[in-house]
């Protein structure tokens, strides 16, 4: 993961957090990797996984949260893995009569405009058909759907990937600083380490069916990548 001298402080911190995040991902087999963009110094963090889809049309074992918003924000370490993942090697083992497999691709990209990470994602069925915005919205867990009913189309939208120029869904980052600020402030007040990517992804990931293994919580306490 090259570090250019032309990167601003926010993006340098972002890349450092991603590097530490990926190191733990590789150690626990969580599947995250760094992808460089050909012909430029840009890059992003990436994960691809397969999930089975239930008869209701939503991916099975969708993420569920029972805690209130403040607890989610301040105790992100308590997030549990609540998704069913299938390795790419297993796709050939699924029969025509078995559960449908949905391929999810998640990208974490740095936004210079908002100075925050942004989660881009897309999904397709086993025959290659991309899921529509309506299908993606249907896959959001009940707890999150209830919270976002006032503006679902403003929360999950489809737009061009800033580095790839391809259509992706995205969770808009306009409120990222708002919900992350108390976490960063609390970490500094307690003089403890905080990896911004781990904290942020633990909050926004479950909205689109992406959760982190609990081992990231212990890893976070050993990292020192808290942005100013």
């Amino acid at each position: 993961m090259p570090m250019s001298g032309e990167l601003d402080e926010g993006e340098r911190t972002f890349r450092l957090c991603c590097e530490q995040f990926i190191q733990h991902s590789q150690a626990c087999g969580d599947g995250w990797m760094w992808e460089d963009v050909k012909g430029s110094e840009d890059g992003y963090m990436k994960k691809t996984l397969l999930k089975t889809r239930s008869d209701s049309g939503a991916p099975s074992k969708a993420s569920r949260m029972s805690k209130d918003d403040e607890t989610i924000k301040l105790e992100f370490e308590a997030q549990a893995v609540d998704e069913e993942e299938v390795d790419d090697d297993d796709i050939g083992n699924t029969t025509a009569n078995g559960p449908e497999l949905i391929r999810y691709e998640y990208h974490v990209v740095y936004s210079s405009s908002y100075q925050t990470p942004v989660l881009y994602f897309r999904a397709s069925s086993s025959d290659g058909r991309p899921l529509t915005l309506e299908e993606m919205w249907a896959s959001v867990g009940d707890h999150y759907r209830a919270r976002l009913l006032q503006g679902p189309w403003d929360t999950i939208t489809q737009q061009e990937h800033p580095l790839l120029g391809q259509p992706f869904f995205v969770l808009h980052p306009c409120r990222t600083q708002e919900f992350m600020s108390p976490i960063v402030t609390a970490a500094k007040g307690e003089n403890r380490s905080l990896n911004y990517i781990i904290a942020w992804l633990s909050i926004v990931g479950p909205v689109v069916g992406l959760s982190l293994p609990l081992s990231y919580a212990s890893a976070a306490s050993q990292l020192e990548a808290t942005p100013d």
Side-chain angles (χ1 to χ4, degrees):
M1 187 185 302
M3 287 277 194
S4 170
E6 299 179 357
L7 298 177
D8 60 36
E9 183 178 354
E11 187 164 1
R12 288 179 67 85
T13 301
F14 166 77
R15 293 201 178 200
L16 174 60
C17 289
C18 287
E19 182 177 358
Q20 295 172 335
F21 183 97
I22 291 171
Q23 286 176 355
H24 182 72
S25 174
Q26 292 174 341
C28 69
D30 194 34
W32 285 95
M33 61 180 292
W34 182 263
E35 188 82 8
D36 290 315
V37 177
K38 293 182 179 179
S40 76
E41 296 184 346
D42 294 324
Y44 55 94
M45 203 165 67
K46 173 183 178 181
K47 178 177 182 177
T48 302
L49 59 86
L50 300 172
K51 299 182 186 180
T52 57
R53 179 151 65 172
S54 65
D55 293 338
S56 63
S60 63
K61 295 189 178 179
S63 177
R64 295 290 184 268
M65 290 294 297
S66 59
K67 298 183 179 181
D68 57 45
D69 292 352
E70 289 302 316
T71 304
I72 294 172
K73 293 176 183 177
L74 299 179
E75 296 185 4
F76 67 91
E77 296 93 342
Q79 289 278 26
V81 177
D82 198 18
E83 62 185 15
E84 182 175 352
E85 298 185 10
V86 184
D87 293 335
D88 286 347
D89 294 340
D90 294 336
I91 190 167
N93 298 328
T94 304
T95 65
N97 296 325
E100 181 183 8
L101 287 178
I102 303 297
R103 182 184 183 91
Y104 282 80
E105 187 176 343
Y106 299 96
H107 292 185
V108 175
V109 181
Y110 181 75
S111 169
S112 297
S113 300
Y114 289 93
Q115 297 185 319
T116 62
V118 182
L119 182 60
Y120 288 83
F121 57 98
R122 61 184 175 184
S124 59
S125 58
S126 55
D127 61 2
R129 180 186 65 82
L131 268 63
T132 65
L133 183 57
E134 290 82 0
E135 288 174 307
M136 293 299 300
W137 179 245
S139 71
V140 174
D142 293 340
H143 174 79
Y144 292 99
R145 193 181 305 122
R147 288 167 52 197
L148 302 176
L149 277 176
Q150 297 303 316
W153 311 118
D154 295 330
T155 304
I156 300 177
T157 58
Q158 188 174 42
Q159 59 184 245
E160 186 178 278
H161 193 293
L163 301 180
L164 303 181
Q166 301 171 2
F168 270 73
F169 297 107
V170 60
L171 287 175
H172 200 277
C174 60
R175 297 186 62 187
T176 299
Q177 293 284 9
E178 177 184 338
F179 68 74
M180 285 299 298
S181 180
I183 297 174
V184 174
T185 300
K188 289 182 176 180
E190 298 170 7
N191 195 29
R192 60 180 172 84
S193 300
L194 174 72
N195 182 286
Y196 194 94
I197 295 296
I198 294 177
W200 165 78
L201 198 55
S202 296
I203 295 172
V204 302
V207 176
V208 293
L210 177 66
S211 297
L212 299 182
L214 287 172
S215 60
Y216 280 96
S218 58
S221 65
Q222 303 172 21
L223 303 179
E224 299 180 356
T226 304
D228 294 331

